[in-house]
Amino acid sequence: HAKHQGKNRYAVFKAEMELRAQRRLRMEANLRRALQNEELYLHYQPQIDLRSGRIVGVEALIRWNCRDMGQLSPAEFIPVAEESGIIVDLGRWVLQSACRQAALWCKAGLLDSLEHVAVNLSACQARDPGLMDDIRAILDETQLPHGLLELEITEGVLMDNVHANVELMRRLQEAGIHLSIDDFGTGYSSMSYLKRLPIDQLKIDRSFVHDLPGEGEAIVTAIIAMAHSLHLKVVAEGVETLQQVEFLRKAGCDNVQGFFFARPMTAAQLTALLLERRDWSTRTILPA
Ligand code: C2E
Ligand code: MG
Ligand code: MG
Ligand code: MG
């Protein structure tokens, strides 16, 4: 009987694996077409300065409304894009679209309070020898001031090949581009590396913010203290509650990003938000 059950379980497991593999293949085929078909678009999520209550940045986040498979999450399709190599074209498209939009905001005078538009960089892009040339060409084309572009590289990707990445980051910094480390706290960077890296900001991973107030307190406090001792800014990701905001403010966190303030939104929605609330103040929701 047990043997029979084991066999059944294996059959179920195998069927699931096959389904998953098929879904990936289908997604990969769709993704090749998606770039040409304009199925991809960007959302933008504001980052807010906890002291002034002003928007100091936005993060561009890719969205895909697939004709065949419906709305898909980047957490699912970005890994597929990476494994298939599509990420290089896709990443270039994201950079170009975000920079074009940022240049429009800039021309409209909406960016004076904005420090940056942040774009996520994948592992493959970081390894791509053509990356610097692509970025230069895009900045040239859009005429976006270099200092308005910020690239986010995850701690995991960074530490995977720290020497090559330090080299890349130096070149980016020389070009005037800002850098922040995404999902910070989930990887294994040491203080000695951080000290040598040409970075501007750490983004506290949302898993720690999720555990505020409570179990996340010690690690969040430690990350903020470490960042500040290295003269880096800190932004907390995934801020969803007033309690989290209050803790972060008391702990001296510089910036926040999360559903509590705003969800990722279309460029048009963000334009409206910038127009409406250029002196957006969190004082209305935060006790003084
Ligand atoms: P990430 O770069 O860490 O982006 C933050 C994610 O947290 C986004 O998920 C955002 O929608 C979500 N988020 C923001 N505030 C909250 C909150 O208060 N609560 C919760 N639960 N979530 C919040 P999204 O857009 O689904 O993206 C997931 C990941 O996919 C990103 O994580 C990033 O690693 C990757 N990704 C997204 N767009 C791009 C892109 O254009 N290029 C690359 N290479 N990766 C991207
Ligand atoms: Mg910046
Ligand atoms: Mg990010
Ligand atoms: Mg993150």
Side-chain angles (χ1 to χ4, degrees):
H1 182 71
K3 195 177 161 195
H4 187 70
Q5 223 179 21
K7 238 183 187 171
N8 269 344
R9 228 177 276 153
Y10 176 69
V12 169
F13 175 71
K14 201 172 157 222
E16 266 172 21
M17 290 296 284
E18 272 165 14
L19 270 178
R20 213 180 292 168
Q22 278 170 21
R23 184 172 162 84
R24 278 184 94 90
L25 280 176
R26 205 169 132 205
M27 205 180 287
E28 186 181 325
N30 279 321
L31 200 48
R32 288 187 195 285
R33 196 206 51 225
L35 261 176
Q36 271 80 50
N37 272 5
E38 300 185 356
E39 293 171 34
L40 299 166
Y41 55 101
L42 296 180
H43 269 175
Y44 298 87
Q45 188 179 30
Q47 294 173 354
I48 288 109
D49 178 333
L50 269 182
R51 280 205 196 85
S52 67
R54 294 176 78 99
I55 296 177
V56 289
V58 297
E59 178 177 9
L61 294 158
I62 195 166
R63 297 290 178 261
W64 181 17
N65 189 5
C66 177
R67 277 185 205 175
D68 175 33
M69 302 171 84
Q71 194 76 36
L72 295 165
S73 156
E76 192 180 8
F77 69 79
I78 289 288
V80 175
E82 293 225 27
E83 275 166 37
S84 58
I86 302 171
I87 193 76
V88 175
D89 286 339
L90 189 140
R92 194 186 301 113
W93 177 86
V94 172
L95 267 165
Q96 188 175 46
S97 309
C99 289
R100 281 182 183 167
Q101 183 58 58
L104 287 176
W105 283 325
C106 200
K107 272 184 205 137
L110 289 172
L111 284 200
D112 13 273
S113 67
L114 258 188
E115 274 181 0
H116 56 253
V117 173
V119 174
N120 292 287
L121 208 63
S122 77
C124 290
Q125 281 177 286
R127 279 196 302 269
D128 173 19
L131 178 71
M132 277 311 298
D133 287 341
D134 284 348
I135 291 177
R136 285 218 177 81
I138 289 166
L139 290 173
D140 251 29
E141 178 222 299
T142 57
Q143 291 291 299
L144 185 74
H146 293 199
L148 284 186
L149 179 61
E150 179 166 292
L151 295 177
E152 295 190 0
I153 180 164
T154 67
E155 188 184 20
V157 167
L158 176 70
M159 287 302 140
D160 215 35
N161 191 351
V162 102
H163 295 287
N165 283 320
V166 168
E167 200 41 48
L168 170 66
M169 292 170 110
R170 292 240 161 83
R171 294 172 69 200
L172 288 165
Q173 190 190 42
E174 276 162 27
I177 294 156
H178 291 231
L179 288 163
S180 70
I181 303 192
D182 207 348
D183 303 347
F184 190 80
T186 59
Y188 298 93
S189 40
S190 68
M191 184 107 174
S192 69
Y193 274 127
L194 285 177
K195 217 172 114 185
R196 285 160 36 198
L197 292 173
I199 46 176
D200 305 286
Q201 179 168 256
L202 299 181
K203 299 192 76 177
I204 303 176
D205 189 68
R206 69 168 188 258
S207 59
F208 305 117
V209 176
H210 183 266
D211 293 338
L212 291 178
E215 270 175 38
E217 288 178 17
I219 193 152
V220 168
T221 307
I223 292 174
I224 294 169
M226 185 185 65
H228 286 165
S229 76
L230 296 170
H231 307 290
L232 303 175
K233 290 215 164 189
V234 202
V235 52
E237 293 191 280
V239 177
E240 293 181 351
T241 69
L242 180 59
Q243 288 73 20
Q244 291 167 350
V245 178
E246 280 170 343
F247 179 87
L248 289 163
R249 205 169 55 122
K250 282 192 197 119
C253 186
D254 303 286
N255 302 327
V256 281
Q257 179 181 349
F259 296 168
F260 181 76
F261 295 93
R263 288 186 174 254
M265 61 187 84
T266 63
Q269 286 170 321
L270 190 71
T271 305
L273 191 65
L274 289 170
L275 280 168
E276 264 169 44
R277 315 179 86 166
R278 288 180 66 176
D279 57 349
W280 196 21
S281 169
T282 51
R283 254 170 294 169
T284 49
I285 50 164
L286 295 179

